[in-house]
Amino acid sequence: MAFALPGVTLPAVVEELLSEMAAAVQENARIPDEHLSSLKFIFGSSAIQALDLVDRQSITLISSPSGRRVYQVLGSSGKTYTCLASCHYCSCPAFAFSVLRKSDSLLVRTREALPTPVRLANSWPLPRGCKHLLAVYLSQVMRTCRQLKVSDKQLTDILLVKKKQEAQKDKRL
């Protein structure tokens, strides 16, 4: 028989897990096995795939002087996906299917409601079907995210090129 603990939600558990992982990395530069097991329990094979992306240093944070931040993740297929951690979006098909079409996500409460000791990318949202966004958050926790600083115009161009590519792909379908 299933039961729920009052006030405890899966997003809150995920937030706590990622906060503990970040604290562990700060203290002794490694994530304990029990945290990795918990990550695998919650996210299944997506956790392993996301950790593989982190190990391969496939995540790049692109930032501009105005403070805009975009992540690019080189997927296992060789395709680059754009992730916006601030609004919890990924350009991959898995995200579009599982989150946008099915509304199947692990959304968290607002930042103000969470007294989290370690906070990355505003809060911890983790869409169930997207290993790329999970890899972005894990790369922040593990401090392995590559950094690229560009001008505001360059960042806009990066986003517009991606948008044009997606529009052309949609026309072909």
Side-chain angles (χ1 to χ4, degrees):
M1 177 167 105
F3 65 93
L5 297 173
V8 177
T9 63
L10 185 54
V13 170
V14 171
E15 279 196 50
E16 182 64 26
L17 174 61
L18 291 175
S19 293
E20 288 177 10
M21 290 170 71
V25 168
Q26 277 183 317
E27 287 178 25
N28 49 7
R30 72 178 294 278
I31 297 173
D33 290 343
E34 60 269 13
H35 288 87
L36 294 172
S37 294
S38 297
L39 193 69
K40 171 88 167 56
F41 178 77
I42 294 169
F43 293 102
S45 63
S46 291
I48 304 300
Q49 295 167 343
L51 286 166
D52 182 54
L53 291 171
V54 172
D55 284 345
R56 290 190 285 131
Q57 295 186 336
S58 298
I59 300 93
T60 302
L61 167 62
I62 304 172
S63 59
S64 70
S66 66
R68 287 193 252 163
R69 300 161 53 100
V70 171
Y71 292 87
Q72 287 195 327
V73 180
L74 179 61
S76 51
S77 66
K79 186 171 180 179
T80 299
Y81 298 102
T82 300
C83 295
L84 304 172
S86 60
C87 64
H88 322 304
Y89 169 80
C90 181
S91 63
C92 76
F95 181 88
F97 178 74
S98 67
V99 178
L100 299 179
R101 289 198 182 121
K102 290 176 49 182
S103 296
D104 179 21
S105 64
L106 300 175
L107 299 177
V108 298
R109 299 169 290 170
T110 63
R111 178 170 57 163
E112 294 78 26
L114 296 169
T116 308
V118 178
R119 186 159 322 279
L120 302 173
N122 299 326
S123 60
W124 301 103
L126 293 161
R128 192 177 294 271
C130 179
K131 65 185 177 186
H132 309 106
L133 265 177
L134 180 56
V136 165
Y137 295 110
L138 290 172
S139 73
Q140 290 174 330
V141 163
M142 299 167 81
R143 299 173 182 221
T144 60
C145 188
R146 296 185 303 164
Q147 309 270 329
L148 177 63
K149 294 189 183 302
V150 298
S151 71
D152 287 319
K153 176 158 179 17
Q154 288 173 310
L155 183 57
T156 299
D157 290 345
I158 289 168
L159 292 172
L160 287 176
V161 165
K162 186 70 177 171
K163 185 74 172 164
K164 285 179 186 175
Q165 289 172 346
E166 289 173 4
Q168 289 173 350
K169 182 182 173 188
D170 289 343
K171 283 181 182 178
R172 284 181 274 171
L173 297 175

